[in-house]
Each structure stands twice: as structure tokens, then as C-alpha cells.
């Protein structure tokens, strides 16, 4: 990641814009998995009424219940863990970037724009954490909602939790998260528009 970021920095001459280019590169790489995740989420929403009736019908027979549920999900192309794959792929990247930004000599006291004079330090006015939280919130609103109400409530608090978490972390890392969420909104908008055109 550091080598790639250094390459981008030589092109644009600013570490902040290098982080943005790195973020876009990562998002493009995981794009096929994101598309697969969105399709899986939509398929899970579609089969939810069927799964509910199967749970009622076979509530006393766990073996048949699991068999019937798996059969319905397979027929409809639904995968209950399909939505987790893009997040799982980005966790190691997030951790690696945290280490790179936190310990890289090159990023120490490197300015980005206006109020951000050091990408290795936290945003002094907390603008990026707030923007990141807002983009995550918008992204959640336009993404197909999870079928489990408890899961939906937990996810509703995620933008607030992440914003609070990012308050004292390096602004370079918050920039990565913000741009990633912004890319997610644009991606979701394009996918939804294409779906409406084909509908």
C-alpha cells in the first residue's frame, strides 16, 4: 500500500490526493464483490417471506428446516453471507492503511487541504469524521435494508459509532473512509438507476 501510495504521490504531488487515488483503486478492485453483495441482499429480501413460512412450518424439525431454507436460497441465488464479503475484503486493507498512515515518515506533517496540515494526525476541526458519518448514513439509506429488524437497528447506529471512533485517528485514514463511503453512494446510485432502466 505504501509503494502504491508513493507512486500516486509522485503523480499528483500531494499525499491526500494520493490517498484518494489509493481509495478509488481499492474500491474498483472490490467492485465485482460489491455488485455480487448487492444482488445477494436483494435476493435475500425477495425470499424472506418464503423463509418465514418455512420457519413456521418446520419449527419442530430443525433438519428439514435447514434443508428447505437452503433449497429456497439456492433456487433464488440468495446467500446470507454474501453481503459480508466486501467488508471482509476491506478490513485487512483498512488495518494496513492504518499502520501505513500512522507510522509512515512520509506522511508526518504532510498537509492535504485548508485545515488539514498533518495527515498523520487527527482532523483538528472533526470535519472529515462528520462527513464520513453522513456519507455512511446516506449509503445505508439507499442500500437494500437487512431483513432482520435487530440488524437494521444496529446498522443504524454504525455511522455514529464510526464517526466517534475516527475522531482521534489520523485524518488520512478518515479521508480514506470518507472517499470509500462516497464511492459507495455513487456506485449504489448507478446500480439502482441501471436496475430501473432495465425494469
Amino acid at each position: 500500500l505504501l509503494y502504491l501510495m508513493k507512486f500516486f504521490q509522485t503523480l499528483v504531488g500531494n499525499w491526500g490526493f494520493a490517498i484518494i487515488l489509493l481509495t478509488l483503486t481499492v474500491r474498483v478492485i472490490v467492485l465485482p464483490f460489491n455488485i455480487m453483495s448487492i444482488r445477494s441482499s436483494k435476493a435475500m429480501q425477495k425470499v424472506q417471506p418464503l423463509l418465514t413460512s418455512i420457519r413456521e412450518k418446520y419449527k419442530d424439525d430443525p433438519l428439514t428446516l435447514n434443508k428447505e431454507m437452503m433449497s429456497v436460497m439456492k433456487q433464488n441465488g440468495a446467500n446470507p453471507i454474501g453481503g459480508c464479503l466486501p467488508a471482509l475484503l476491506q478490513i485487512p486493507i483498512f488495518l494496513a492503511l492504518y499502520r501505513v498512515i500512522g507510522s509512515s515518515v512520509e506522511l508526518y506533517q504532510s498537509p492535504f487541504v485548508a485545515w488539514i496540515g498533518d495527515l498523520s494526525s487527527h482532523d483538528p476541526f472533526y470535519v472529515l469524521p462528520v462527513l464520513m458519518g453522513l456519507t455512511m448514513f446516506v449509503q445505508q439509506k439507499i442500500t437494500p435494508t437487512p431483513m432482520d429488524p435487530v440488524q437494521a437497528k444496529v446498522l443504524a447506529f454504525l455511522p455514529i459509532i464510526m464517526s466517534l471512533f475516527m475522531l482521534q485517528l489520523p485524518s488520512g485514514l478518515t479521508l480514506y473512509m470518507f472517499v470509500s463511503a462516497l464511492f459507495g453512494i455513487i456506485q449504489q446510485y448507478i446500480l439502482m438507476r441501471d436496475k430501473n432502466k432495465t425494469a
Side-chain angles (χ1 to χ4, degrees), residues 47-59 65 68-69 72:
V47 300
Q48 193 56 34
L50 289 170
L51 296 177
T52 304
S53 63
I54 289 169
R55 282 191 196 101
E56 280 296 315
K57 188 176 179 181
Y58 300 106
K59 60 183 175 185
L65 172 66
E68 289 295 320
M69 285 177 71
V72 167

Side-chain angles (χ1 to χ4, degrees), residues 6 16 96 165 199:
K6 280 181 177 178
F165 179 67

